[in-house]
Amino acid sequence: GQQLNQSPQSMFIQEGEDVSMNCTSSSIFNTWLWYKQDPGEGPVLLIALYKAGELTSNGRLTAQFGITRKDSFLNISASIPSDVGIYFCAGLRQNFVFGPGTRLSVLP
Amino acid sequence: DAGVIQSPRHEVTEMGQEVTLRCKPISGHDYLFWYRQTMMRGLELLIYFNNNVPIDDSGMPEDRFSAKMPNASFSTLKIQPSEPRDSAVYFCASSSLAGVITDTQYFGPGTRLTVL
């Protein structure tokens, strides 16, 4: 079946550092989404990507839809403490598939 | 707008009992989604509705699970009988645009279900 892999599973970074995480699959997707989830809350959509090769920014966040349509990455520049949380990628073809998440910790 | 509203926020029940989770989507949204989140399986789409009609229920784990949307402002997810492996956080989300994936898919705060 369709599965998404996210790496790294978790990361600890210093405040101010840039962050890079990615999402890969053996299947092709038509849409890629990136969500952030804070403890005790529902996921919040950060960025949506609809075309292969598309590069989209949302403030300090930048995400790209891979050319092969089998991957996507998310970058966060100049991390701050409130970036802490779990970042999920999701792909859409005929239905939604979510990755297992990348847990980000930011050290002051 | 109050956002997507889910109730209860927490539910603890015993194995074999019926559980009903409730969701009120954002007013005017015509798509409603039910998700389940566990440590082992992550976030899974269970079912989604468009204009109160179930469109894809292929994610519903088994017959013990059922979902209804009697009107545009209310949906339920029912588990009968409940089992310990149903313990998870259940999210409802709603969306307003014509596409299934939109920039406006909003999640509720979730219901944390524990089945003893």
Side-chain angles (χ1 to χ4, degrees):
Chain A
Q2 303 174 49
Q3 286 192 329
L4 297 182
N5 302 303
Q6 285 189 248
S7 65
Q9 285 187 322
S10 62
M11 53 195 316
F12 293 81
I13 61 168
Q14 293 289 138
E15 184 177 352
E17 287 184 357
D18 295 343
V19 175
S20 184
M21 60 187 78
N22 64 50
C23 186
T24 60
S25 174
S26 57
S27 302
I28 290 174
F29 289 94
N30 298 325
T31 297
W32 286 94
L33 307 173
W34 285 93
Y35 289 85
K36 177 176 183 266
Q37 186 175 22
D38 292 328
E41 302 292 331
V44 174
L45 184 65
L46 300 174
I47 292 180
L49 302 158
Y50 302 105
K51 282 171 42 177
E54 180 180 353
L55 186 70
T56 297
S57 294
N58 178 6
R60 294 178 296 107
L61 278 61
T62 302
Q64 185 159 29
F65 192 142
I67 290 292
T68 65
R69 296 167 64 194
K70 294 182 179 180
D71 60 356
S72 177
F73 73 75
L74 175 70
N75 285 345
I76 305 173
S77 62
S79 59
I80 60 178
S82 62
D83 291 334
V84 165
I86 303 176
Y87 291 80
F88 292 97
C89 64
L92 172 69
R93 191 167 60 175
Q94 292 160 336
N95 52 33
F96 291 84
V97 179
F98 279 79
T102 291
R103 186 181 294 274
L104 177 63
S105 300
V106 179
L107 306 173
Chain B
D1 199 311
V4 176
I5 298 173
Q6 290 188 248
S7 65
R9 291 295 308 271
H10 302 274
E11 175 82 26
V12 180
T13 190
E14 292 188 340
M15 181 174 65
Q17 297 297 307
E18 178 181 295
V19 174
T20 299
L21 311 180
R22 297 173 176 79
C23 175
K24 182 181 187 310
I26 293 173
S27 177
H29 283 192
D30 49 12
Y31 282 87
L32 184 141
F33 308 82
W34 281 101
Y35 292 87
R36 177 173 68 176
Q37 186 175 42
T38 62
M39 288 293 292
M40 291 297 295
R41 300 175 66 89
L43 199 59
E44 303 170 279
L45 176 66
L46 300 178
I47 184 172
Y48 75 89
F49 295 83
N50 176 218
N51 290 323
N52 313 337
V53 176
I55 303 300
D56 184 351
D57 65 354
S58 59
M60 294 285 263
E62 49 195 274
D63 291 345
R64 297 184 296 106
F65 286 69
S66 62
K68 294 182 179 179
M69 193 165 185
N71 57 63
S73 60
F74 184 66
S75 176
T76 60
L77 178 67
K78 186 175 292 187
I79 308 172
Q80 166 64 17
S82 58
E83 296 182 3
R85 60 192 168 119
D86 300 331
S87 298
V89 180
Y90 290 81
F91 289 103
C92 175
S94 71
S95 169
S96 66
L97 298 182
V100 175
I101 289 284
T102 75
D103 287 345
T104 56
Q105 187 181 84
Y106 294 100
F107 279 75
T111 294
R112 182 174 293 277
L113 173 66
T114 302
V115 183
L116 304 175

